[in-house]
Amino acid sequence: KFGKSAGNAVWLDAGMLAPLDFYQFFRRTPDVQVRALLGYFTFLPEAAISALMLEHHEHPERHAPQRRLAYEVTELVHGHEEAERCQLKSHILFDTHVVFQEGLSAALVVEAFEGDPRLVRLPAAEVLDRDVVSVALAAGAVPSRSAGRKLLSSGGLYVNGTKVDAGATPNSNRLRISAADLLDGRVLFLRTGKADNTVVEVVGAVGEGETVSATGTDA
C-alpha cells in the first residue's frame, strides 16, 4: 500500500482494495500531479506523456492523462483483463449519459458488473412506476426513506447520471421510474452523492409483452 493514513490507504492487493476502486484512485489524480505520476508509475515514453498533457491542455474535459494513468497502473498491478474491465466499468458509471448515446448493451453492462456488489437485481414491481426514493431504498443505495428524501432535497440523487429534480412534486413523473429510464429495458443507474453508484438490473419486466411509458400508462 501507499498513503499515510490507513483509512485512505491504496492497497495493491485486490483482497484489500477492489481493482475498480484502485483504478478510480488514479483516475481522480489532480491535474497538478498527473504528469509526475505518469512518469513515476508507468513505462510511457516522455513523448507519449507530453502528448497526453497537450491533449489535456486542449480538451481538459476528457481527462486523458488521468484515464491513461489509471489504465496503465491497473494493468501493471492487476493485469490486462482487469484493466480493461475497470476501464469499461468506470466509463459506465461515470459517463452514464454517454453510455446511452453510444448504445452500449445492457447485457454487456451486467456482464461487466457480475460479482460486483454495485450490481443489484430487483423485480420490475419494485422499480417501474415507483418513486425514485423507493427504488433507491430497495436497491440499498440509501439506508432509509428519510435519508433518501434528504439526499433528494439536497440534490445528491442521480438517475442515469442526471440529477433528480428535487423541486418536483412527490407524485410527479419526474420522480418516478419508467421503462424509458432503463437501458435496453433492463438496467438503471443510480448514484448517491459524488461517487456511490448502484447498477440495478430489472428482472422479468420490460420487453415481455408490455412496457410502461414515462406517464406510467401502457405503451
Side-chain angles (χ1 to χ4, degrees):
K1 74 179 180 72
F2 59 87
K4 293 183 178 179
S5 61
N8 295 318
V10 179
W11 296 85
L12 304 183
D13 187 339
M16 299 296 292
L17 182 68
L20 179 58
D21 295 324
F22 178 88
Y23 178 99
Q24 284 301 127
F25 172 82
F26 289 98
R27 171 66 180 79
R28 294 192 296 269
T29 300
D31 289 351
V32 295
Q33 298 177 6
V34 67
R35 183 178 190 121
L37 294 189
L38 281 166
Y40 294 153
F41 297 129
T42 79
F43 294 103
L44 292 175
E46 180 60 31
I49 294 175
S50 294
L52 285 167
M53 298 310 299
L54 177 60
E55 180 182 353
H56 187 57
H57 177 73
E58 296 175 347
H59 302 284
E61 74 282 357
R62 297 177 182 174
H63 303 287
Q66 286 89 345
R67 292 176 188 270
R68 187 63 180 273
L69 172 66
Y71 182 90
E72 293 288 332
V73 180
T74 303
E75 183 179 39
L76 183 65
V77 174
H78 296 294
H80 176 73
E81 289 187 6
E82 194 61 64
E84 290 286 325
R85 188 177 299 113
C86 288
Q87 184 179 58
L88 174 61
K89 291 165 77 171
S90 178
H91 178 56
I92 290 169
L93 293 178
F94 298 101
D95 302 312
T96 308
H97 62 290
V98 178
V99 169
F100 276 80
Q101 294 169 4
E102 292 174 340
L104 197 67
S105 72
L108 183 60
V109 171
V110 172
E111 180 183 357
F113 284 91
E114 195 64 60
D116 190 305
R118 294 174 182 84
L119 177 64
V120 175
R121 291 181 169 91
L122 292 177
E126 294 187 24
V127 178
L128 294 179
D129 204 32
R130 298 292 298 275
D131 69 273
V132 66
V133 172
S134 294
V135 176
L137 180 61
V142 294
S144 65
R145 185 174 295 277
S146 61
R149 288 171 177 161
K150 183 177 180 180
L151 192 66
L152 175 65
S153 65
S154 66
L157 188 56
Y158 296 75
V159 172
N160 298 334
T162 301
K163 184 185 296 186
V164 179
D165 180 9
T169 59
N171 292 321
S172 168
N173 288 321
R174 286 180 291 171
L175 293 185
R176 291 187 172 274
I177 303 300
S178 75
D181 295 312
L182 307 184
L183 179 65
D184 290 346
R186 181 179 172 188
V187 170
L188 179 76
F189 302 94
L190 298 175
R191 190 171 92 230
T192 54
K194 291 184 177 180
D196 291 329
N197 294 278
T198 305
V199 179
V200 181
E201 181 184 13
V202 181
V203 180
V206 188
E208 297 184 359
E210 69 175 1
T211 60
V212 181
S213 73
T215 59
T217 57
D218 291 347

